[in-house]
Amino acid sequence: MRRLRATAGLRGLVRETDLGPAHMVLPMFVLETAPGGPEPIASMPGIERLGISEAVAEARTAAALGVAGVMLFGVPAEKDEHGSSAWDPEGAVQLAAGAIKEAVPDLLVATDVCLCEYTTHGHCGVVREDGSVDNDATLELLARTAVSHARAGADIVAPSDMMDGRVGAIREELDSEGFADTPILAYSAKFASAFYGPFREAAGSTPAFGDRRSYQMDPANGREAVREAILDVEEGADMIMVKPALAYGDLISAVKQATGLPVAAYNVSGEYAMVKAAASAGHLDERATVLEILMSLRRAGADTIITYHAKDAARWLAEQT
Ligand code: PBG
């Protein structure tokens, strides 16, 4: 086996997997109002909450590095019980999507469709009096949010709420509102994960009570992840996401095999924070670690990688060639 490992040339000749920025999407947190400019996120060094014009500048930088797209998360000025700022045509995501598409038309803009950043209680759906999340009452609000994103210019909408039936509801509403060509990237296999901790700080979306285990998946369940993906395909999903990524490589592979659809892996906030913390303590070589992680996700079967490392990775990969 070692004959083909002897030189860089031989290793390159037989390398099975490629990694490049054209497969990467950079998540961004966009502020509806940004009086004080960019706001740092303590647990995610290098990532900031951005105002609209800063988001446009960030999008330009990403595009110049060859990154395929951005994924927008909104940080609203005000929250309410139903998360109504999620579908506000003047909301953070809507304004940023429009401004980025105008400034950098070739950069893909994906938007996260969920209510948790916009609700006072921080849950991903409508909360009943007893504290439970009402699946069916949430669907209409999600569909409305997705349409508002498409109308603002989003190229791809990505529902992350984990309500049953949301892909079908969003597909129907997009079609009837004239957005039949807008693809849905479904967060199909989204687990109730400790790895979202830093994101919740960044987006201010920690649930005020309880947790998300009644809608996000149990990390113990792999077959169920495949079922979720198949259901989303039946409802009209164009791409499937597995999230988190690092501890779920088996499911990136299984979902890809079962559906045949393009699969996106979300290298989430906690995965980013772990690498950054270890690297800043001098315990890990950041560059080598990040490139190994991203390559492993491609090897597992991810067509697309959503990662906070996208800009750094694009720079490092450009230096290598
Ligand atoms: C919203 C949403 C979350 C993430 C993406 N969309 C948080 C959650 O479900 O609590 C996590 C992303 C990350 O950790 O980087 N529902």
Side-chain angles (χ1 to χ4, degrees), residues 43-45 195 198 268-279 308-309:
S43 53
M44 301 178 74
F195 288 105
V268 298
S269 57
E271 299 172 1
Y272 176 85
M274 287 195 301
V275 173
K276 288 302 234 187
Y308 302 94
H309 297 292

Side-chain angles (χ1 to χ4, degrees), residues 4 7-16:
L4 294 177
T7 65
L10 283 166
R11 289 190 295 271
L13 188 70
V14 297
R15 185 161 295 126
E16 298 173 30

Side-chain angles (χ1 to χ4, degrees), residues 52-70:
I52 306 293
S53 59
E54 294 143 2
V56 170
E58 179 78 344
R60 272 191 217 281
T61 307
L65 289 164
V67 173
V70 292

Side-chain angles (χ1 to χ4, degrees), residues 112 114 116 160 190 196 199-200 212 216 243 269 308:
D112 184 80
C114 197
C116 65
S160 69
K190 176 172 177 179
Y196 307 151
F199 172 97
R200 293 182 188 169
R212 303 207 202 291
Q216 298 181 348
K243 175 184 173 193
S269 57
Y308 302 94

